[in-house]
Amino acid sequence: MRKFAIVLGAAAAALAVPAQANEARVEARGGIAWAEGVEEAVAGIAAGYDFDLGDTAFLGIEGSADKVLVDGAEVVWGASARVGTRLGANGKLYAAGGYTFGEGEDVPHLGAGYQHAVGTNLYLKAEYRHFFSDFVDVNTAVVGLGYSF
């Protein structure tokens, strides 16, 4: 829970630093969700904004909508913060955390990912998330294609 509070505090700090804005981004993503031996496809979208914290570090915020691709599953909405470092001119390695709302239960999540620019504005992304439920913890691994501006 302490890590969750740190991530939320970092997101609030990012909102207070508009002069250091780096880039906005939107993406589509898909992958797999698993829990207790059951695996299902998942797809979603996200939009976010990253703030520069010097030459190599960044802090970001993100809103997302994701759906497990089975009949009856609802869209879950997420609010996340991420903090990371740039790797070379094109890479971003980060840790992320936040809260997910929907499917009858609101849960915190933590994860990590890597984003790599391909071309001027396009990027590819891979991300893992763990959702901390009172009932069944869920994991996701997704890849995404995004556009930054």
Side-chain angles (χ1 to χ4, degrees), residues 52-75:
D52 286 334
L53 296 177
D55 292 338
T56 59
F58 70 93
L59 182 66
I61 55 175
E62 178 179 281
S64 61
D66 297 287
K67 184 176 186 322
V68 175
L69 301 178
V70 296
D71 288 340
E74 298 176 11
V75 172

Side-chain angles (χ1 to χ4, degrees), residues 111-127:
Y114 178 75
Q115 179 177 315
H116 193 86
V118 288
T120 305
N121 296 94
L122 292 178
Y123 65 85
L124 297 173
K125 174 180 176 178
E127 184 176 285

Side-chain angles (χ1 to χ4, degrees), residues 75-128:
V75 172
V76 294
W77 304 90
S80 303
R82 66 185 199 165
V83 61
T85 186
R86 286 185 184 75
L87 300 176
N90 296 326
K92 288 182 173 181
L93 181 65
Y94 61 90
Y99 224 73
T100 300
F101 310 89
E103 288 288 335
E105 181 184 23
D106 303 338
V107 298
H109 61 262
L110 290 175
Y114 178 75
Q115 179 177 315
H116 193 86
V118 288
T120 305
N121 296 94
L122 292 178
Y123 65 85
L124 297 173
K125 174 180 176 178
E127 184 176 285
Y128 165 80

